Amino acid sequence: MVKDGVTIFRASEEDMTQYGHVNSRNKKLMYQRMYVDDPDTGMIVKKLIYPAGCMIPWHTHHAAHGIFVIRGTLVCDDCTLGPGDFIWWDE
């Protein structure tokens, strides 16, 4: 929904099953919904759903990035994060 130049995504109300894909690194079914993909700045904003027990091999990114944990547990970089936690990796 766009109102007065502000875009609102109701991510909690979406049926994520329509955004399924097989992860190229671990071959697991995951769900990824792109909200913002700005080719001018390279900024992206997306919602990812990882299946329970999913392991993503160590990798790097070409830009800084962060993850908000909405539900469940995320284990990475020698820490365990839960709902409401946020982790940021510098460029």
Side-chain angles (χ1 to χ4, degrees):
M1 171 175 70
V2 178
K3 181 180 177 184
D4 299 326
V6 176
T7 304
I8 298 170
F9 299 99
R10 301 249 181 228
S12 61
E13 298 173 7
E14 286 190 311
D15 175 12
M16 289 294 290
T17 59
Q18 64 182 321
Y19 302 108
H21 77 282
V22 175
N23 182 277
S24 62
R25 292 186 178 98
N26 66 9
K27 309 301 184 213
K28 300 279 186 185
L29 177 64
M30 300 171 66
Y31 300 92
Q32 173 177 293
R33 163 74 158 93
M34 188 72 68
Y35 293 106
V36 177
D37 189 356
D38 185 335
D40 294 331
T41 65
M43 183 187 78
I44 62 171
V45 176
K46 60 186 170 181
K47 178 180 179 181
L48 293 165
I49 296 178
Y50 297 95
C54 178
M55 298 287 291
I56 303 294
W58 177 252
H59 61 283
T60 59
H61 291 267
H62 66 277
H65 66 289
I67 296 175
F68 271 108
V69 179
I70 308 249
R71 184 174 58 230
T73 303
L74 172 68
V75 178
C76 61
D77 289 357
D78 298 326
C79 65
T80 300
L81 306 170
D85 290 339
F86 178 75
I87 187 168
W88 179 260
W89 292 272
D90 289 330
E91 203 168 333

